[in-house]
Amino acid sequence: MSQGRGKIWEGSGKHMQWFILAYLLLLALPCMGFLPNFWSRVLTLSWNSHTHQDITEQSILNVTLETLRGTKKHQGNHAEELTRLGRGFWRAVGEVVKSNAAMDFLSSTRSDPVYHFDSEHVESAMVMLRQFWAQTLLSVRAKEYQSARHSLGQLFHSLQDFYSHSNWVEMGQRLIYLHLLQPEEPAIPVANEDTPTCMECFSLTCRDNLMPRLTKTRQDSQLLTTGYFSTFPQKPQGKCSHGGILDSSRYIGAKGGINKDSTSPLFSPHHYLHVEAATLATEATLSVLRDLRDTVGHKTFLRLFSVKQVPALVFVMDTTGSMFEEITAARLRAHSIIQSRDSHPGQPGTFLLVPFHDPGVGPVYETDDPNQFMLQMENLMALGGGDEPEMCLSAIQLALTHSPPLSEIFVFTDASPKDAHLYDAVKALALEKQSKVTFLLTEDPNYITESKRSPRRRRRRRRTSKEPLSPDRFSLYSSLSSVSGGLTIFTTNSDIQDVSTIVEDNTAADKVTLLHVESDEKLMSSHYFRVDSSVRNVTLHVTGNLIECILTSPSGQSQSLLSEQGPLAEIEHFKGLYRISLLFPIQPGQWKLQARSDGHLTFNVIGDSSVDFLYYFATVTNETHPGLARVEGSPVAGVPAFLVLAVTGLALDEEASFSHVTLLGADGESLQQVKLNSSSSFSSLSSYSVEELVGWVGSVPRDPFCVRLTGRDSRGNKLERVSTEMVQPTHVQIQVLSVPRLVPGHSTMVDFDILNHGPTRLFSLTADDDCGYVQKRGPHSFPVAEQGSFRGQVDLHTPATAQAGATVTLTLTVHALDLPDSNYAVAYLTVVPPDPDTLPPTCSAAQVQSTCLSICNESIWSVSLVVSDRGRSGLAALQLQKGEGVLTLFHSPPLTEESLVEAQPGQDQQKTQKDKTTSGGHHHHHPHHKVRLEKGDPPLNVSEWVLGSSQPLWVRYTSSCCSAQAELLVWDTAGNMKRCHLTSGQQRQPSDWSTESSGAGRITLTGVLFWALGLLWSSLL
């Protein structure tokens, strides 16, 4: 990996000065919770502390790999498995980590004890946790994966804080507190307001400062408590403080504190228990991820984290009457791509189609089924049309909203945009998602007479205006493609099928960018790109009209790119596009492009490689927590910032190192070089094909720029990657302060701040959303003083018909009225039901029978259960997750034990069972309508088997005594899940359910009641 790993300040005295300054600033500001991210360890001098970032990243990675192993029929190469998780996976993990850390940085959450399990707000914090869980499930089921990752990050933050801020560890607990997310599990009472919880502590390290009832010394009547932080809410006398040198409440009796956030006694009085707290927080995070996976299914879980996802295929199609050739070309490309992907099976990609004309836009066709996508493509018809402008930007906005991050949107049209007012919102979405927009335009921008088409084509679409068309009417398209890193190609109907090969080039897996630059020079210009040992299949795309172009290899050999044949490359020239493929073997090293044109040129060089990078800008934030907060929107020009990069796709044996990044201007010129050092954040993940680096940008450039990463591969060749979107530095910021849930039939307000880093001036704010819920779009104008701020609100009204789980994408853009300063913020709002069902189903043991002998394979055990839903939703599904026995379900209580021997899982019996069982694992018997499930069977859809899902089910599990444990998963229709742990009478697990019997043949009181209820129920049916 990087040669600089762990040497954060090597060779940079200026960096050390900044560190000292930041640390001194930190000492004047408060701190709370597990530390947010890698920079927190620097600021607190606790290099071996576990942060929210560590816990979250490692947990997601572990469960993802565990899920992949469980879904693969044959174990693949482990090293390759890790390398091929994909850039999209690490982007998705980063979104969860970002949402987690934002709980410490947003003004609406950072000081609220409910989000951090502070100040004994345990009950309200648990309610919040369960809301985050329900919201995550809603979003996943609606395939709103970005929203799901956001709420999942929030859930993780609060859940992890519980183990650091409470006395759970001090009570001697070595298992996670199930009651936090499972209300049916046993609860430990929280200390009353007038109950003292701590004793005085006068040192940095506080040992034995909890009252006896709050520690492991008193097991009979233990109480929960969490520390009070700062001055709100007021800390009562005798209560525990959060503690640490930045907590002002530590001076109020009882002095001291109990937090276990770090290994530093300066910040954590119970620092000696930090590892234990972090271990439990990690286990709790793993448990949530496994519950989520088992609830939504393995395939959906992998989609949630974009595991091994091939690039999305996204078409925005003009369907007016002149678009017949364009639609045909798009169909052919889609068909070719789908056929190619069929030969390389993996995780299904996303297919997205957004048709538009005037005035109609949509609907959005989104699927992961290629056959369904092709059916929609075949149904497209080129009909109608009228005046030249069309609703193109509205369609691109929908495509960006519905497509995954890191996508490329391909727009086929011959018309300029009629909805130019949406340009800022569309640009904001493209930059926020790091998605490219490429335009394939079959119209000459200099055309000013009425017809370029044949008479046959004019009959399908006739321009009603005889006014000459402006040659810059496509300028918004060119600007959008330039900012997002895409291309704008002006071609013809006769060439569109050939030009559309760019769709296949750019949507293949593992494509990386080696060069992306634009040029308006009339003289010969020179551009360079590097090929390293990991790069294969290099393709150059040049848009515009070349007068002269020479390609030179690292060995000095040259070839004119205006001739089709040559020693270095194969050239295809179509109207508006040159497609150049380097010939094998491709020489590693620096390649040179020299070109001259009479107009605008764009050069884009791509290759196949797993090695790529992600990045973000960040600033030191200390409002409640020391750490690096990501900059939302564009960074502020002329001020310092950190640049954080994650290099992805490194092979485990790849000894690559990375020295610096270069901030490149629009013409490819170098604006600034930024040295990189290892953040050491990914030290626990260093064997998992990713490395995190951090650089110090002394002053963010004032001109737009893109980022080029430079390093060396294992053979010593220089390695370069380019992130093509153009960062737009600015002097204004906009911050969304709250992301509320949307309730059908209700209005909601979203608070925001405008921060002016320039002189006093007027600003204009515009709000857009993809569902039309914003009440007043704007623009709204207001003055902001120099270095001042403005706080405002956006009103949204959610119609009563809104579907639970839907996501509304809100885009806020702000402009200075006198200067070209602008910025944006994007928020994802989830529609939730007004009164959600958060109660999971229950499993009540009615009877346990065991005849287990010393020879286990000669005896069996069984347990009888009543499964019901405590909420309003009703049962949805059951699955035998673990165990080698047989689970038998009944419509009504079995009156005899007639199936005990029949269900014995001996070899002969198992064969008989499989002969009787249908392909879905179901087999019906009378008179009790039995269904049997074994491990490996898919979940049984209860609604397909029983008339009313609100009815209880009667279940019997029977197994050989050689397999003494099993696990049953039960879901209700709201998505709540219950894990029912079944054990033989000899090896019973305590407290999984309070009704479980402890001996053969014994029946608990609750079990009898449920059994009687079942008999009564069945008699009424």
Side-chain angles (χ1 to χ4, degrees), residues 264-280:
S264 169
L266 289 172
F267 297 93
S268 301
H270 284 200
H271 60 91
Y272 52 90
L273 295 174
H274 171 76
V275 173
E276 288 84 345
T279 299
L280 285 173

Side-chain angles (χ1 to χ4, degrees), residues 82-368:
L82 294 170
T83 304
R84 297 296 177 182
L85 285 172
R87 183 170 174 242
F89 169 76
W90 294 110
R91 157 88 192 206
V93 172
E95 289 180 16
V96 180
V97 170
K98 169 187 169 184
S99 175
N100 186 325
M103 299 281 275
D104 285 328
F105 300 143
L106 289 175
S107 61
S108 59
T109 58
R110 65 191 177 206
S111 299
D112 190 335
V114 172
Y115 292 98
H116 308 281
F117 275 94
D118 284 334
S119 307
E120 296 187 323
H121 283 52
V122 176
E123 294 297 331
S124 51
M126 285 193 294
V127 171
M128 184 69 68
L129 267 187
R130 294 164 190 170
Q131 288 178 350
F132 287 145
W133 169 255
Q135 185 176 336
T136 301
L137 279 182
L138 278 173
S139 297
V140 172
R141 289 195 161 129
K143 297 184 178 181
E144 301 284 2
Y145 298 126
Q146 275 194 284
S147 294
R149 293 191 286 266
H150 176 76
S151 56
L152 190 62
Q154 292 176 308
L155 186 159
F156 285 159
H157 186 98
S158 296
L159 181 67
Q160 291 159 6
D161 270 358
F162 170 79
Y163 296 97
S164 175
H165 295 180
S166 73
N167 63 320
W168 184 258
V169 173
E170 288 85 346
M171 291 165 63
Q173 302 287 352
R174 293 296 176 262
L175 299 175
I176 63 175
Y177 188 25
L178 295 176
H179 182 70
L180 293 177
L181 281 165
Q182 301 175 34
E184 77 284 1
E185 293 293 341
I188 294 177
V190 180
N192 294 327
E193 185 177 352
D194 57 355
T195 301
T197 56
C198 266
M199 297 177 283
E200 300 285 357
C201 170
F202 299 100
S203 62
L204 291 177
T205 299
C206 292
R207 297 183 185 272
D208 302 323
N209 62 326
L210 281 159
M211 291 292 185
R213 285 189 65 186
L214 291 97
T215 66
K216 58 186 175 184
T217 60
R218 288 281 299 275
Q219 298 287 341
D220 53 336
S221 57
Q222 289 183 321
L223 294 175
L224 266 179
T225 189
T226 63
Y228 282 75
F229 180 79
S230 192
T231 58
F232 179 82
Q234 187 71 33
K235 172 187 166 183
Q237 284 290 328
K239 289 294 185 180
C240 299
S241 286
H242 179 82
I245 63 173
L246 305 179
D247 175 19
S248 59
S249 78
R250 76 187 190 279
Y251 296 115
I252 304 172
K255 296 180 176 64
I258 63 170
N259 92 72
K260 296 162 282 294
D261 295 341
S262 73
T263 57
S264 169
L266 289 172
F267 297 93
S268 301
H270 284 200
H271 60 91
Y272 52 90
L273 295 174
H274 171 76
V275 173
E276 288 84 345
T279 299
L280 285 173
T282 301
E283 186 55 43
T285 306
L286 290 167
S287 178
V288 167
L289 287 166
R290 289 171 180 139
D291 282 352
L292 181 61
R293 176 194 62 195
D294 292 339
T295 298
V296 302
H298 288 210
K299 177 181 174 183
T300 300
F301 180 84
L302 296 176
R303 289 293 298 272
L304 169 64
F305 290 108
S306 299
V307 178
K308 299 185 178 181
Q309 289 293 308
V310 295
L313 181 58
V314 187
F315 285 157
V316 175
M317 295 295 308
D318 184 345
T319 58
T320 47
S322 59
M323 294 296 294
F324 176 79
E325 283 86 355
E326 293 87 337
I327 292 173
T328 301
R331 284 185 188 134
L332 291 174
R333 289 302 155 208
H335 183 70
S336 177
I337 290 168
I338 289 169
Q339 281 191 322
S340 175
R341 291 183 180 181
D342 281 345
S343 62
H344 299 88
Q347 285 295 314
T350 297
F351 299 90
L352 197 75
L353 171 64
V354 186
F356 72 93
H357 51 278
D358 181 23
V361 178
V364 178
Y365 298 106
E366 183 179 359
T367 182
D368 57 6

Side-chain angles (χ1 to χ4, degrees), residues 91 294 507 519 573 633 660 795 957:
R91 157 88 192 206
D294 292 339
T507 56
S519 176
H573 178 212
H660 65 276
D795 297 326
Y957 177 76

Side-chain angles (χ1 to χ4, degrees), residues 714-730:
S714 57
R715 300 178 184 176
N717 299 312
K718 265 197 171 182
L719 181 155
E720 290 183 348
R721 298 290 185 270
V722 176
S723 186
T724 55
E725 68 275 1
M726 297 298 292
V727 178
Q728 310 285 305
T730 182

Side-chain angles (χ1 to χ4, degrees), residues 22-45:
Y23 191 71
L24 290 174
L25 289 174
L26 167 70
L27 295 181
L29 295 167
C31 162
M32 56 183 289
F34 269 124
L35 303 176
N37 50 38
F38 70 91
W39 199 250
S40 311
R41 290 194 289 252
V42 177
L43 294 175
T44 60
L45 302 180

